Amino acid sequence: MSRDETLPGGETGEAFERVAFRMRLHPGKAEDYRRRHDEIWPEPR
């Protein structure tokens, strides 16, 4: 997207880079992932 393109919603402005990834969990590993995630990234208090 160049800097002069229209953004979603009709707004114009500086372009931004969108960075993301999709992760897949092995079957049966969702609870292990949640436990490990919560140890590193606790909810704000």
Side-chain angles (χ1 to χ4, degrees), residues 1 3 7 14-20:
M1 180 174 192
R3 291 184 180 270
L7 298 173
E14 289 191 29
F16 56 91
E17 181 180 5
R18 189 175 293 207
V19 180

Side-chain angles (χ1 to χ4, degrees), residues 2 9 17 23 28 31 34 42:
S2 69
E17 181 180 5
M23 183 175 76
E31 188 57 41
R34 283 188 196 98

Side-chain angles (χ1 to χ4, degrees), residues 23-38:
M23 183 175 76
R24 292 185 187 188
L25 297 176
H26 292 280
K29 297 293 185 176
E31 188 57 41
D32 187 45
Y33 169 79
R34 283 188 196 98
R35 180 182 54 78
R36 291 171 181 247
H37 176 275
D38 290 346

